Amino acid sequence: MSEALAALEQTAVIARDLIRFDTTNFGEGRSAGEAEAADYVARALRDLGLRPETIESEPGRTSVVARVAGRNRDKPALVVHGHLDVVPADPANWSVDPFGGVIKDDALWGRGAVDMKNMDAMMLTALQDVIERQGAPERDLVIAFFADEEAGGVLGAQHVVTTRPDLFDGATEAISEVGGYSVTLGGTRAYLLQTGEKALLWLRLHATGVAAHGSHRVFDNAVTKVAAAVARIGSRDWPVRMSPTTTAMIDAIAQVLGVDPEQAGPDAIALATGSASRFITAALHTTSNPTVLRAGYKQNVIPDSAEALIDIRCLPGDEAYVLAEVRELAGPDVTVEVVLQDIGLEQPTDGALVTAMTSALQRHDPGAPVLPYLLSGGTDNKALSRLGIAGYGFVPMLLPETIDFPALFHGVDERIPLSALAFGRSVLADLLAEY
Ligand SMILES: [Zn+2]
């Protein structure tokens, strides 16, 4: 082992080990499974003196939950959760093996490096630090590693919440992915704390037509119908819709940028946030992206059926109007089926947990503003909200200004600086020790 690897910080070691388990979730029920990664984290939890439970929704689809007794049993429990699955990675597009756990250029490369084996590892090392430092965290913790998040959590968080709600007894709040990372706003380093997430509508478009020879004059063509609907839905430029969370977000960003939010307008403020604008602009508008097209089997045969999958994210409460408009855009020849629908969330942008997360960050990065934001995607916090648990996104990471962090989510050459892993461990340990 080289000296550099021998000195590799423990969070990086665990994240690297987890990346090397291929836990690809292809969606629509197809998955490599999480069993090996679940065994690994369960072992790590047992090494900390805990008694993790494993919950299998289907063979190989394993979640792991452990409770850590806090020193102040009067406080409600905090859920700290991560998911073990990852989205697919095509090695042909990557400059390294996506499941190799490569350490290069002071970063850990691989599928899951930011989404979210980084946090899975931070959870374990931060907990270890807290136990070593003071024997126990301040309050009870429910440490959860879920399966199937990338397919909406049906076989992971949703299954655990439905079949084992007892595991979350006394928990009122949760922290998990896609928040707590640094962005650069007009030259100022700030942190985006996720205090809400958009609702999710996954739709399947389907059309039928006449099966015929590819040389015939056919207008009742299933492919043409679905393609036309896909083009209309995919190019819909949805207007700005504000919510309490996005209003607080835009006001806070405007303050850091030193502009008047009324005068500049939300879109201009979002665009001024550099690489973070990919997340911020998506929070302001409904998005309706076609993601899968399926039809046909031979170039000279017109198939009698065609389908497309559409990924829609909208503000909580906008689902009905968005769905109605999408049905209209799809037109009378195309059926629109809701494959999966899940709620959006908006949590208070102040309060004791927000204050604690902010001060834990600022202890390690003094003076940096911490702003609320609405996540354009979704997390397992949706499932936990069914138990009345208010979930936030808090994976504390100080990132170099040059990194296009939002692009790394589900992106090619996903990677995380080793320094960000160590930073996250320290901030998270402080939070769990004191909150
Ligand atoms: Zn994720």
Side-chain angles (χ1 to χ4, degrees), residues 358-388:
T358 302
S359 56
L361 268 175
Q362 288 175 337
R363 187 172 316 157
H364 295 269
D365 194 353
V370 179
L371 324 175
Y373 91 107
L374 181 87
L375 176 63
S376 55
T379 75
D380 283 333
N381 280 330
K382 291 186 195 304
L384 291 169
S385 76
R386 303 208 166 100
L387 300 175

Side-chain angles (χ1 to χ4, degrees), residues 18 37-38 41-42 45 62-66 80-84 119-121 123-124 143-147 160 380:
L18 289 172
V41 296
L45 290 166
T62 318
S63 300
V64 178
V65 181
V80 185
H81 61 104
H83 61 81
L84 295 171
M119 174 65 164
D120 294 335
M123 286 161 58
L124 291 168
I143 305 290
F145 297 92
F146 291 123
V160 178
D380 283 333

Side-chain angles (χ1 to χ4, degrees), residues 157-228:
Q158 290 193 35
H159 175 85
V160 178
V161 159
T162 308
T163 59
R164 294 297 309 277
D166 57 296
L167 293 171
F168 305 94
D169 277 351
T172 55
E173 293 169 320
I175 56 171
S176 186
E177 60 181 331
V178 219
Y181 54 91
S182 70
V183 295
T184 306
L185 305 175
T188 301
R189 184 164 61 238
Y191 290 82
L192 294 179
L193 181 65
Q194 192 254 97
T195 63
E197 46 187 73
K198 280 168 118 182
L200 172 155
L201 264 176
W202 284 356
L203 306 180
R204 176 177 174 267
L205 308 185
H206 182 245
T208 54
V210 175
H213 195 287
S215 67
H216 293 177
R217 206 172 129 79
V218 174
F219 295 101
D220 187 14
N221 182 320
V223 175
T224 310
K225 291 177 195 170
V226 163

Side-chain angles (χ1 to χ4, degrees), residues 83 115-116 149-150 177:
H83 61 81
D115 186 12
M116 65 172 296
E149 193 276 340
E150 297 292 359
E177 60 181 331

